[in-house]
Amino acid sequence: MPVFNQSRSRIIRLIFVITFGIILVQLFYLQVISKKYKRLADENAIQRSIVYPLRGIIFDRKHKPVLNNTLTYDLMVIPSQIKNLDTSFFCSLMDVDTAEFRKRIINGIIRNKSFRPSVFEASLTPQKFARMQENMWRFGSGFFIQERPIRYYTYNAASNILGYLAEVDSNYLKRHKDEGYQSGDYAGMTGLESSYEKVLMGERGVKFMIKDNFNRIQGSYENGAFDTAAVAGSNLHLSIDIELQKEGEKLMQNKVGAIVAIDPQTGGILAMVSAPTYDPNLLTGAERRKHFSQLYTDPRLPLLNRTVSTSYPPGSTFKTLQALLALHEGVITPQTTFSCSGAFYGCGKPMRCLDPGTFNLTTGITLSCNTYFANVMQRVINNPIFPDMDSSLRSWDRYMYGFGLGHKLGVDIPSERSGNIPTPATYDRIHGKGHWNFCSFRSVSIGQGEVLTTPLQIANEMAYLANKGWYITPHLVDSIDGGDKFGLLKKYKQKINPIDIPDNFFEAVHDGMQGVVDVGTGRGAQVSGVKVCGKTGTAENYYHGVKQKDHSFFAAFAPRDNPKIAIMVMCENAGFGGTWAAPISGLMIEKYLNDTIAANRKPLEERMMNANLIPSYMAREIKVKDSLRKVRKDSLEMMKRIIKDTLQTEDVPEEEPSVTPDIKKQTGSSNDPSTQKSSRRTDAILPDTNKVNTGKKKN
C-alpha cells in the first residue's frame, strides 16, 4: 500500500478513536458526574414535598386549648417546570387574570429561584382546591398542591396575646438566616407566636412521591426510604384564664383601652385585654390579606396591643407610689397632715382638688387630694439630705425604676414600651440647666406631666404593693411541654425585691387604698365579701394638640389580706376613673375570685358591656371612612348599571374592582364555608362601633 494511503488510514482511525473517546468521556460525565439529567428525570417522576409540622398547641391555666391547628392546602409552582400551559384555562380555574398570573410567577422566581417551589396561592378555598385537584394532570410538573397546617383559634378572644402567623419575607430570612427558614415558610409575627417561635415551630420533614406520566401521584417513592418525618412543636401552658379574658373583652366592647390582671404571687398574667379587639381567625386562611388591610386601616387601631405598646399619664394611681417613697425617705409619716382650700397654690397657677379639707396619708389617698401629694412631692425634692435638686430627683428616679417604671419589664410578648420617668436631663433639655425647680414638674406628683406608664406597668405596680415590696416579672407562659430547652422562662421564676421598705409603710398605703373602695372615689369596684384595695385615676390627654376628655383609670388588688389578683383598667377618653374603670375592675375581680358574676350584679355588667365610650375623634374618623366606602359602593353600582345597559345583559360582574383593600368583595361562592365564616364578621371589631359617642348618655 502506498505510504500516502497508509498515512491517510492512520489519520482516519485516529479521528474515530478521538471521536469515540470524546463520546465516552461525555457519556461518563453525563451519567456519573453531571446530575442535570438525573435531576430532570427525577423532577418528572418524583415529587419532593415539604412536610410542615404541627405547631405547638397553646393552653390556658385550666388546660383549655386556646390555639390549635387545622389543615389548609397551598398551590405551589416551580416556574422552570411550566411547559405548554393553557394559561387562560388555568387562570379561569384560579379566578385570576393573566397579568396577576405573570406577577405571581415573576415574584416566585425573584424570591425563590425558578427551579424551586414557591407558593402560587396560599390556603385554597374548597372550591379552588376541588377544581385544581381535578385538573392537576393538565399542568405537568409545574404545579402541585401541598398540605400545610394553619392555626385555629378555639375562642374568639386573646388575639393580641396569641398573635398571628405570616409568610416570611426577604427581611425575615436575612434576620434568621441560620435558622433553616426558606421562602414559603410561615412564622409567628406578633404575640406569643413570635416570642415562642422556636418552641412552637417544630422541625420540617420531607416526603418523596412517585408520579405517573399524567402527573398523578402513585404512591410513596421507595416506600418512604428517603422521607424525613416532621417533628411537632412543643405545647405552651399559659397563666391566662380564658374565661376571665372573654369577660374582659366583653366589658371593653365599644371602648378603647386596656385591662391587665396579674397573679401577684407568681407574676402570671391572668387577663390582658386590648380594646378594641378582633376575631383572631380572620388572620388565617384565604381571606387573611383582605382582613388584615381592614384592621390595619381602622381608626381604632385594633392591631395595636395597648397593654404594652402604648403609654399614658397614670393619673392619681401614681399617688400610691409617691406616698410609699415619701414614707421611706422619712419626709412624712402616716400622721402628717396638709390642708387644702380647694387647690395647691404653691407655684402660682392653682392645681385644683376634688374636696377641701385637712388630710393625712390615709384620707389623702382615699379622697385623692392633689394638694396633699403636691406637698409630699415638694418635700421629697427639697429633702435636705441631698446637696441639690439634681441629686434628689435622681434618688426619686431610682425609686421609680425599682417600682418597675421607666423601663421595660420584660414581658414575654413583643413591642413592649418603656414608658417615661423624667430625670434631671429631661428638665435640663426643657428648661435649661439650672433653670428648673419643683414647680417645673409639680404635675408629676399626681401622675401627669412628663411621667408615662404602660397599662402593664400599672398592674405590676399593684402586684408590688400587694406583695409589700416585691414582684415577679409579668409573663404569659407558665411552662413548656418537654421542658424549657431554650431558657426562655428562667427570669419568670425570680423575685425582684428592689428596695427594702418596711411592711408597716405598705400597710399605711393599703389603708388609704381600701378607703378608696369602701368610702372614696372607687366605690364602684366593691365586691361583696372581699376587701379591695384600689386607686382611681383621671388623666388629662391631648390629640393633635387639642384637649380631649380625660382617660379613666382604676388600679387595685384583692383580697387585701391574701392578694390573688392585681388589676388595672383604662378607658381612653371616658372621663372620671370611678365611673367606668372602677366598676369594670370590680366585675373582673368578682369573676376571677368567684368564677361568676352574682345575679344582682348582672345589670351593672350589662351596663358596662353596652356603654359606648369610643372617643369622639375616632368616631368622626370612622364616620368619614364609612362615608368614603359608601361613595365608592354607589360609584360601583352606577358602573354596573352602565355596563348592563351597554351590554344589554344581566351578566354583570359581581366582583368589585380593587379600589381599596377594605371594600373588595369575597371571590368565593355563597356556599363556600370559608367565605361564610369570614363574612360573618367582616370588620371583626366589637359591635355597635359606628355609633358616635356624644357624651350625653347617662349610665
Side-chain angles (χ1 to χ4, degrees):
M1 179 181 293
V3 174
F4 173 77
N5 289 338
Q6 292 179 357
S7 176
R8 185 170 62 178
S9 176
R10 284 196 296 269
I11 291 171
I12 292 172
R13 286 198 295 270
L14 182 61
I15 290 172
F16 273 107
V17 169
I18 293 172
T19 303
F20 186 69
I22 291 172
I23 293 171
L24 286 176
V25 170
Q26 183 70 5
L27 286 173
F28 179 80
Y29 173 77
L30 292 175
Q31 295 184 32
V32 179
I33 299 175
S34 174
K35 305 296 182 182
K36 176 181 178 183
Y37 289 96
K38 182 179 185 302
R39 178 169 59 82
L40 291 174
D42 287 347
E43 285 174 352
N44 285 325
I46 301 170
Q47 177 176 298
R48 179 183 183 275
S49 299
I50 298 294
V51 181
Y52 287 96
L54 294 174
R55 287 179 73 87
I57 301 171
I58 299 181
F59 299 89
D60 85 333
R61 69 188 295 110
K62 296 179 180 177
H63 311 295
K64 297 177 182 178
V66 296
L67 183 53
N68 215 323
N69 299 293
T70 187
L71 291 176
T72 191
Y73 297 92
D74 297 340
L75 180 62
M76 309 296 293
V77 60
I78 306 175
S80 64
Q81 294 295 307
I82 298 176
K83 297 173 183 176
N84 302 318
L85 177 68
D86 185 342
T87 307
S88 297
F89 177 68
F90 179 90
C91 289
S92 68
L93 292 178
M94 290 299 297
D95 291 331
V96 297
D97 56 28
T98 54
E100 177 65 18
F101 173 85
R102 286 192 294 271
K103 177 183 176 183
R104 294 185 188 184
I105 297 298
I106 292 170
N107 286 342
I109 294 171
I110 292 172
R111 295 174 61 184
N112 211 23
K113 309 298 183 184
S114 64
F115 56 88
R116 291 176 181 164
S118 299
V119 177
F120 183 85
E121 184 165 320
S123 296
L124 295 174
T125 64
Q127 283 73 22
K128 287 185 180 180
F129 175 74
R131 292 198 299 263
M132 294 306 296
Q133 279 285 73
E134 292 174 1
N135 293 279
M136 286 303 296
W137 62 274
R138 300 176 184 272
F139 308 132
S141 302
F143 293 90
F144 64 93
I145 291 174
Q146 181 166 280
E147 184 181 272
R148 176 172 58 85
I150 59 171
R151 291 308 231 175
Y152 174 72
Y153 299 82
T154 315
Y155 298 88
N156 180 9
S159 54
N160 278 300
I161 295 172
L162 299 173
Y164 59 82
L165 304 180
E167 187 177 353
V168 299
D169 58 16
S170 57
N171 291 328
Y172 191 96
L173 292 173
K174 288 177 183 177
R175 292 196 306 270
H176 303 270
K177 61 181 179 180
D178 298 324
E179 298 176 27
Y181 291 99
Q182 60 188 37
S183 181
D185 287 353
Y186 281 70
M189 296 296 161
T190 61
L192 295 175
E193 290 276 37
S194 174
S195 298
Y196 290 88
E197 167 68 14
K198 61 174 66 175
V199 174
L200 293 167
M201 68 178 290
E203 298 178 13
R204 288 185 298 271
V206 179
K207 193 172 187 178
F208 296 92
M209 305 297 290
I210 193 75
K211 301 183 294 185
D212 65 11
N213 59 336
F214 287 106
N215 201 37
R216 295 176 299 201
I217 299 297
Q218 298 300 302
S220 180
Y221 175 68
E222 295 289 341
N223 294 320
F226 299 99
D227 294 352
T228 303
V231 179
S234 299
N235 300 332
L236 302 182
H237 297 269
L238 307 185
S239 55
I240 287 287
D241 183 327
I242 194 61
E243 295 301 328
L244 185 67
Q245 179 76 21
K246 286 168 60 182
E247 177 74 11
E249 293 188 7
K250 288 178 183 177
L251 290 168
M252 291 297 289
Q253 64 189 13
N254 296 320
K255 302 170 187 66
V256 176
I259 300 175
V260 180
I262 298 174
D263 181 343
Q265 301 302 310
T266 66
I269 296 173
L270 305 172
M272 180 177 264
V273 177
S274 179
T277 187
Y278 59 93
D279 181 351
N281 282 305
L282 291 180
L283 295 187
T284 64
E287 298 291 316
R288 177 190 171 276
R289 289 183 181 273
K290 185 182 75 171
H291 295 149
F292 185 87
S293 295
Q294 291 174 343
L295 294 169
Y296 187 78
T297 58
D298 191 287
R300 293 157 291 186
L301 305 178
L303 293 173
L304 176 66
N305 188 348
R306 287 176 165 85
T307 64
V308 295
S309 300
T310 56
S311 53
Y312 307 86
S316 293
T317 60
F318 195 60
K319 293 174 180 176
T320 56
L321 297 182
Q322 295 282 62
L324 192 63
L325 184 158
L327 288 169
H328 192 241
E329 286 290 283
V331 297
I332 63 167
T333 69
Q335 293 75 38
T336 301
T337 60
F338 296 101
S339 294
C340 174
S341 60
F344 177 74
Y345 295 97
C347 295
K349 185 179 179 181
M351 186 166 69
R352 304 213 171 269
C353 300
L354 291 175
D355 300 294
T358 299
F359 303 95
N360 59 21
L361 180 67
T362 299
T363 55
I365 293 175
T366 297
L367 298 177
S368 198
C369 178
N370 288 344
T371 295
Y372 183 91
F373 285 96
N375 279 288
V376 168
M377 182 73 169
Q378 191 168 29
R379 286 196 178 187
V380 168
I381 295 302
N382 294 332
N383 192 339
I385 68 170
F386 296 105
D388 53 38
M389 200 169 293
D390 277 33
S391 301
S392 62
L393 185 56
R394 278 195 293 270
S395 174
W396 181 85
D397 289 332
R398 285 191 292 272
Y399 275 96
M400 293 302 155
Y401 192 93
F403 295 151
L405 307 182
H407 63 95
K408 296 178 182 179
L409 290 169
V411 67
D412 49 351
I413 51 174
S415 305
E416 182 186 6
R417 296 186 68 174
S418 61
N420 184 65
I421 292 296
T423 65
T426 304
Y427 297 107
D428 287 346
R429 185 172 61 253
I430 296 172
H431 303 286
K433 191 170 181 62
H435 292 83
W436 54 271
N437 55 30
F438 164 73
C439 291
S440 304
F441 53 86
R442 66 168 188 171
S443 57
V444 170
S445 65
I446 59 170
Q448 293 282 172
E450 292 76 24
V451 62
L452 295 171
T453 56
T454 66
L456 177 69
Q457 289 173 335
I458 299 178
N460 186 65
E461 168 195 330
M462 292 296 111
Y464 173 82
L465 291 170
N467 292 331
K468 297 180 182 177
W470 61 270
Y471 66 89
I472 295 174
T473 302
H475 57 278
L476 290 154
V477 176
D478 276 343
S479 64
I480 302 171
D481 281 354
D484 184 18
K485 299 175 184 177
F486 300 101
L488 299 175
L489 305 182
K490 186 176 180 180
K491 67 178 180 179
Y492 303 126
K493 309 298 181 185
Q494 302 168 352
K495 286 186 178 181
I496 298 173
N497 189 354
I499 307 166
D500 188 15
I501 299 177
D503 283 1
N504 62 305
F505 291 163
F506 285 97
E507 289 292 345
V509 174
H510 291 182
D511 288 341
M513 294 176 69
Q514 185 176 337
V516 169
V517 179
D518 288 349
V519 298
T521 55
R523 290 189 294 274
Q526 292 176 359
V527 179
S528 178
V530 180
K531 290 182 180 179
V532 179
C533 294
K535 186 71 192 77
T536 53
T538 306
E540 293 183 355
N541 70 97
Y542 293 80
Y543 177 71
H544 291 174
V546 178
K547 190 178 186 307
Q548 305 294 313
K549 197 172 182 180
D550 295 338
H551 293 327
S552 177
F553 280 85
F554 188 79
F557 63 86
R560 174 175 176 173
D561 298 328
N562 182 24
K564 295 179 180 178
I565 181 172
I567 188 169
M568 77 79 55
V569 175
M570 187 277 298
C571 298
E572 289 188 16
N573 302 88
F576 182 57
T579 304
W580 300 108
I584 291 173
S585 295
L587 290 165
M588 290 289 286
I589 291 170
E590 181 178 3
K591 175 70 174 178
Y592 180 68
L593 297 180
N594 300 338
D595 206 31
T596 188
I597 303 295
N600 66 333
R601 300 257 290 171
K602 288 293 183 180
L604 174 64
E605 181 185 38
E606 288 295 322
R607 185 161 64 88
M608 292 297 111
M609 287 181 179
N610 295 331
N612 182 6
L613 304 178
I614 297 294
S616 57
Y617 72 90
M618 287 189 183
R620 287 193 297 271
E621 291 176 7
I622 293 168
K623 190 173 181 180
V624 168
K625 185 178 179 183
D626 288 345
S627 298
L628 291 173
R629 185 184 290 115
K630 187 176 185 304
V631 168
R632 293 186 181 111
K633 185 176 180 180
D634 291 345
S635 299
L636 178 67
E637 291 300 322
M638 182 178 294
M639 182 180 71
K640 286 182 177 180
R641 287 195 298 271
I642 293 171
I643 293 172
K644 186 173 74 173
D645 293 342
T646 302
L647 300 178
Q648 294 296 302
T649 178
E650 296 297 323
D651 297 328
V652 181
E654 288 297 321
E655 184 178 350
E656 297 184 18
S658 181
V659 181
T660 58
D662 56 318
I663 66 169
K664 184 179 179 182
K665 289 185 177 178
Q666 299 178 40
T667 57
S669 62
S670 60
N671 61 355
D672 178 356
S674 65
T675 55
Q676 285 178 351
K677 184 175 183 180
S678 297
S679 63
R680 187 172 68 248
R681 292 184 58 195
T682 52
D683 73 350
I685 308 296
L686 307 169
D688 300 325
T689 45
N690 290 335
K691 294 179 182 178
V692 177
N693 179 19
T694 62
K696 296 179 181 179
K697 182 178 179 181
K698 298 295 183 183
N699 291 292

